[in-house]
Amino acid sequence: MPEEGTAHTLPGTDGRKMSKSYGNTIPLFAPEAALKKMIRRITTDSVPVEAPKEPESSSVFTLLERFGDPAVVAETRARLLGGGMGWGEVKAQLTEALNERFAPMRDRYETLVASGSELDDLLAHGADKARKQTRPVLERVRDAIGIS
């Protein structure tokens, strides 16, 4: 796992660097089922389950390495190198790791964007405050240019 504070380039679902412009991102706040579906679609090689695999060449493993529990990552690396583990199982581990890490944030996000949430109240309050502060300025500008 990279050191804290260092820059990270994460692989996208197609193996290239993750980028919105490539359309290969993983929407972390998507519902759990959608997240699982997205992870299942990550590109992997077709090496048979029983064959040894090179973990560092896999987008799925790189993401697991970044977000998974270090003990799980170490065990997964050993099993991939030894053969007998398929990419589908690694994808399931990645799904679990992302859900474990981001589910509380996803729940909070969903609460905030729900209609009638506290965010709606905060935005409405901010809009009222902004209107009160800008209305006198706009009236002076209109008077100055003659469009009152």
Side-chain angles (χ1 to χ4, degrees):
M1 182 177 276
E3 293 178 32
E4 272 307 304
T6 60
H8 303 283
T9 300
L10 294 174
T13 57
D14 60 2
R16 296 183 293 175
K17 95 175 175 172
M18 192 176 288
S19 170
K20 287 192 316 185
S21 61
Y22 293 156
N24 65 358
T25 60
I26 297 173
L28 299 175
F29 289 168
E32 188 174 342
L35 181 64
K36 183 177 183 177
K37 185 176 181 179
M38 180 70 68
I39 291 170
R40 280 194 311 229
R41 286 204 243 141
I42 294 176
T43 305
T44 55
D45 60 34
S46 58
V47 175
V49 171
E50 60 278 356
K53 294 162 193 63
E54 181 53 48
E56 273 65 27
S57 67
S58 165
S59 302
V60 177
F61 184 80
T62 301
L63 291 167
L64 179 65
E65 192 173 37
R66 178 65 180 98
F67 295 104
D69 178 85
V72 171
V73 171
E75 178 189 346
T76 301
R77 176 182 274 114
R79 288 183 60 205
L80 286 168
L81 290 170
M85 182 177 205
W87 293 120
E89 189 175 344
V90 181
K91 290 177 183 183
Q93 289 176 330
L94 176 59
T95 301
E96 185 178 324
L98 291 176
N99 272 324
E100 186 175 300
R101 185 160 197 182
F102 294 104
M105 290 178 255
R106 181 175 52 232
D107 293 343
R108 179 69 176 141
Y109 170 80
E110 288 172 0
T111 299
L112 288 172
V113 298
S115 181
S117 72
E118 66 183 89
L119 184 59
D120 285 343
D121 294 340
L122 287 170
L123 291 171
H125 175 73
D128 288 342
K129 186 176 178 181
R131 259 187 238 97
K132 287 176 185 172
Q133 291 177 350
T134 59
R135 186 169 287 131
V137 174
L138 285 173
E139 286 174 8
R140 285 196 313 269
V141 168
R142 286 184 181 125
D143 286 343
I145 60 173
I147 59 169
S148 326

